[in-house]
Amino acid sequence: MNLRLMRVIVFFDLPVTTVQGLRAYTKFRKFLIKDGFFMMQESVYSKLAQNQLAANALISHIKKNSPDEGLIQILTITEKQYSNIEMIIGSKKGDVINDSKRIVVL
């Protein structure tokens, strides 16, 4: 089994102009958090997957739980590619490990 860690990033823009739209947004956001995603920034969530097969299963699970309206985009990249993210805006924290050493294997 290929153990290539993948990062699944979900970008979404859901309409919240009606009560039903706001409920759908809240439900989808809570689904992502309950499923282990963490918020990178507003409407951008990320989760680590063990390999491409697990990432594909995760994408399928997201599709089943996505609302009927709005835009949801999913990007899958390797953990090595993800570690090359540069933080441009904001202050950089000294206690943040931003390389492959940050991976916790359970």
Side-chain angles (χ1 to χ4, degrees):
M1 182 177 195
N2 187 6
L3 195 67
R4 179 179 222 184
L5 294 173
M6 304 297 289
R7 183 67 64 159
V8 178
I9 304 172
V10 179
F11 309 87
F12 60 94
D13 186 16
L14 303 176
V16 291
T17 54
T18 64
V19 174
Q20 295 84 3
L22 183 59
R23 284 186 185 141
Y25 167 85
T26 303
K27 183 179 178 183
F28 184 67
R29 187 180 164 280
K30 285 183 178 182
F31 155 75
L32 290 175
I33 293 168
K34 186 178 177 184
D35 206 38
F37 282 83
F38 74 92
M39 185 170 73
M40 295 174 62
Q41 64 185 47
E42 195 170 332
S43 298
V44 179
Y45 286 73
S46 172
K47 182 176 179 179
L48 190 64
Q50 284 188 339
N51 53 35
Q52 187 64 51
L53 186 64
N56 291 341
L58 190 57
I59 290 168
S60 179
H61 190 58
I62 293 168
K63 287 179 181 178
K64 288 178 186 174
N65 289 280
S66 64
D68 295 332
E69 295 183 18
L71 175 66
I72 299 173
Q73 298 171 309
I74 302 171
L75 174 66
T76 305
I77 58 174
T78 65
E79 186 62 14
K80 185 173 181 178
Q81 291 169 324
Y82 181 78
S83 69
N84 289 328
I85 290 178
E86 292 189 35
M87 293 179 233
I88 298 173
I89 298 176
S91 60
K92 197 170 188 180
K93 296 181 181 180
D95 61 342
V96 174
I97 300 172
N98 196 20
D99 60 13
S100 62
K101 295 177 188 173
R102 69 171 181 232
I103 298 172
V104 177
V105 179
L106 302 175

